[in-house]
Each structure stands twice: as C-alpha cells, then as structure tokens.
Amino acid sequence: MMSLIRFCYIIYFSDSFTCIKCPWDMWPNPEKSSCLPKPIEYLSYEEPLGTTLACTSTISSLVPVIILKVFVQFEATPIVKANNFFLSCLLLLSLSFCFLCSLMFIGFPKPENCLVRQVAFGMVFSLCISCILAKTIMVVFAFMATKPGSNLKKWTCPWVSYLIISICLLLQFILCITWLSLDPPFLEQNIETQPRLIILQCNEGSPTAFWCMLGYLGLLATISFVVAFLARRLPDSFNEAKYITFSMLAFLSVWVSYIPASLSSQGKYTVAMEVFAILASSWAIVVCIFVPKCFIILFRPSMNSREYVMKKART
C-alpha cells in the first residue's frame, strides 16, 4: 500500500523550516500544523443507503418463499402442473437466495466476504437462469413431442431438465474455481480514487474473470430469451414462454445498464449499483414469471380448472 502513495503532505512548524510528511493513512489539517486520520468509507448498514438496500433485500427474499408456499398448496391445479412444479420450486428457492446474496455486499468488507461474494452471486444466478433455460427448452420439447411421428417424447423426461441445469452450473463453477485459484478477490484500501478518504473495497483480483462470470450469466439469459421468444406463440393453455421472454429482456436490460453505471461510479456507490442491479433483475424474474400465475391461482380460480383448460384447447 505504501507504494501507492503519490502525494506529499507537508506540515510547517512555527519559527521553523522543518517539515514532515503525513503518513499514507492521514491528511494534513487546513492550517498544515498536524496530521488527521483519513475517514474510512464503505457501504455501511448504519447509513440510509445501506439500511434501505439491506431491508429491501431481506423483505424481497420472503416473496419467493410466499409464492413457493402458494405453489405447494395448489400443486394439483392445472397451472402449477403445466409449468413444471419441480423447476418452479427450484427457481423460487434460487430467487430467494439471489435476494439474500446482495447482503454480502453491504457492511464492513471482510477478506472472506471479498473472496466469496462474487462467486456466490455468480453461482446463485447461474442456478436461477439455468432453471429458466430448462423450463423454456422443456416447453419447446413438450410441444414438439405432441406432433405425430415425433421422437422427442423421451426428451420431455425430468432428467433432461436436471441435465441442463447441471451443465450450466458446472461451467460457471469451473470458471469461478479457476478465478479463485489464479487471481482471487481481496480486501483493498483505496487511497487513489479520493485522496482525502480511505475507501475499503473488494478488489476483484482479475477483472477479466469477473466480466467473464458476468458475461456467462448474460449468455445464459440471452439463450433463454431467444428460445422463449421463438416459442412464445406455441399453442398451450399455460405457455409461459412469453413471460420468460419479458423476464429475460428485463434481466438483460438491468445488467447492460449496470456496466456503464458501475464504471462511472466510485467508492461505496459502485457497490450500491451492483446491489441495486441484483435486486432489480431478481424482481424482474419474480414479477414477469410468477406474479401472473399467482394472480390466476388466487383471484381467477375459474381459469385454473380442468374445464377451462379443455374449453380453451377446443377453442
């Protein structure tokens, strides 16, 4: 850290030509007569911004759990059956963890937090997006398997969706392990961005690995968006491809906007921007995919019946 010092702070004493340099973690007072400790900055739970983000993350994490309880209670209804109950439950659990992982970015940045927070974020979101990708692919397979002479019926088995999720997670896991092995994140005391402050922040170690991890999430979301967009008009009573299309479009919009915002912000506001992106992208998935289903289940039970499904199929 001493090698990063590029400033010389001189203190003049009365009736003396002697001067000294302030240490790297101190700053001269306005009279240049003494050295004062530099304030330490990080995204704290005590400040309004940190408190707001932390409360939002905690409350938001309960929403997928509540939706999961609704799905379990109405497991036997057509809308829940048609949308792959197991994948929906796994997706809801991963969304709850997505909201909670943003808490790792708030508070005093400990070395162990710096080491695992981006990896946890990457793995949890990979699970979330891979579940959406598996749901989208299964919708396409299920429709194509109904065509006469189709050999795709064997691809509609649950093990196919498990395989898709496992492969997506494995690739992200390999990327994260490589990152931690070669150039892991570490705690850094930044005195160059704002010389009058000591900014406690997590240095990502390898920026290339960080952007590769984020880019992989973008790749999964893009594939899900393209597949869902192509399948949005498939004839199905509860075809969720169009909802997945909107959710992935919102997800990609949030993270594309995050890139210039994070590069233009400094200090704790860079961390706040990432927390906001995590919360916004998670809410986009919850609102676009699950809110319409919950509305039908709770407020339009007549649409969630076998009779309605058969009538719509005949129409």
Side-chain angles (χ1 to χ4, degrees):
M1 183 60 66
M2 295 298 293
S3 61
L4 298 178
I5 302 174
R6 297 181 181 177
F7 303 93
C8 177
Y9 307 118
I10 303 175
I11 302 175
Y12 298 97
F13 294 93
S14 302
D15 301 325
S16 174
F17 293 100
T18 305
C19 63
I20 62 172
K21 294 180 181 179
C22 284
W24 67 272
D25 58 347
M26 304 186 76
W27 187 268
N29 64 349
E31 294 79 18
K32 300 294 190 298
S33 59
S34 64
C35 294
L36 302 177
K38 292 181 180 179
I40 297 177
E41 180 184 83
Y42 59 91
L43 186 60
S44 171
Y45 283 107
E46 285 74 24
E47 60 181 301
L49 179 60
T51 302
T52 302
L53 292 175
C55 292
T56 304
S57 302
T58 305
I59 296 173
S60 299
S61 67
L62 300 177
V63 176
V65 177
I66 296 173
I67 297 176
L68 177 59
K69 185 177 180 180
V70 172
F71 268 53
V72 172
Q73 183 177 353
F74 293 91
E75 180 182 358
T77 59
I79 192 171
V80 178
K81 287 183 176 180
N83 291 287
N84 201 319
F85 176 72
F86 171 78
L87 285 183
S88 296
C89 292
L90 186 59
L91 177 56
L92 286 168
L93 288 176
S94 65
L95 282 169
S96 183
F97 285 115
C98 286
F99 286 118
L100 289 176
C101 78
S102 61
L103 295 175
M104 301 180 67
F105 294 81
I106 308 173
F108 188 85
K110 300 178 182 179
E112 53 271 21
N113 281 2
C114 292
L115 189 64
V116 302
R117 70 179 190 177
Q118 294 291 2
V119 172
F121 155 69
M123 291 301 300
V124 170
F125 266 83
S126 292
L127 176 61
C128 177
I129 304 301
S130 61
C131 287
I132 295 175
L133 179 59
K135 286 169 70 71
T136 310
I137 293 176
M138 295 307 292
V139 168
V140 177
F141 283 172
F143 171 75
M144 297 182 67
T146 59
K147 294 183 177 180
S150 175
N151 296 322
L152 290 176
K153 190 171 183 179
K154 60 182 179 180
W155 294 98
T156 59
C157 298
W159 65 266
V160 176
S161 58
Y162 307 154
L163 181 62
I164 294 172
I165 295 172
S166 299
I167 292 175
C168 294
L169 279 178
L170 179 61
L171 294 176
Q172 184 71 290
F173 179 75
I174 293 174
L175 178 60
C176 291
I177 289 298
T178 304
W179 180 10
L180 294 180
S181 301
L182 299 180
D183 195 1
F186 59 91
L187 179 61
E188 178 184 50
Q189 294 178 323
N190 184 353
I191 61 173
E192 291 191 335
T193 302
Q194 300 184 46
R196 293 180 179 269
L197 295 175
I198 297 178
I199 301 176
L200 287 182
Q201 62 185 24
C202 292
N203 189 311
E204 307 306 343
S206 172
T208 303
F210 170 74
W211 290 111
C212 285
M213 180 270 292
L214 200 60
Y216 180 73
L217 294 178
L219 177 63
L220 291 180
T222 302
I223 296 174
S224 300
F225 169 76
V226 172
V227 176
F229 180 79
L230 296 176
R232 73 193 187 282
R233 297 188 183 277
L234 292 181
D236 192 343
S237 298
F238 296 112
N239 181 14
E240 59 180 345
K242 56 184 177 181
Y243 302 118
I244 294 176
T245 302
F246 288 122
S247 66
M248 291 297 96
L249 182 61
F251 181 90
L252 290 170
S253 300
V254 169
W255 286 104
V256 168
S257 302
Y258 161 76
I259 295 174
S262 65
L263 295 177
S264 60
S265 57
Q266 295 179 348
K268 62 183 179 182
Y269 297 105
T270 303
V271 180
M273 288 301 304
E274 185 167 0
V275 173
F276 177 80
I278 291 174
L279 297 177
S281 57
S282 300
W283 267 111
I285 297 173
V286 171
V287 171
C288 293
I289 295 181
F290 291 104
V291 167
K293 297 179 179 60
C294 291
F295 180 80
I296 293 175
I297 292 173
L298 298 176
F299 302 105
R300 295 289 188 271
S302 60
M303 297 176 62
N304 189 22
S305 62
R306 180 179 177 84
E307 293 75 15
Y308 177 83
V309 173
M310 297 300 293
K311 180 180 178 182
K312 189 172 182 180
R314 288 195 299 269
T315 303

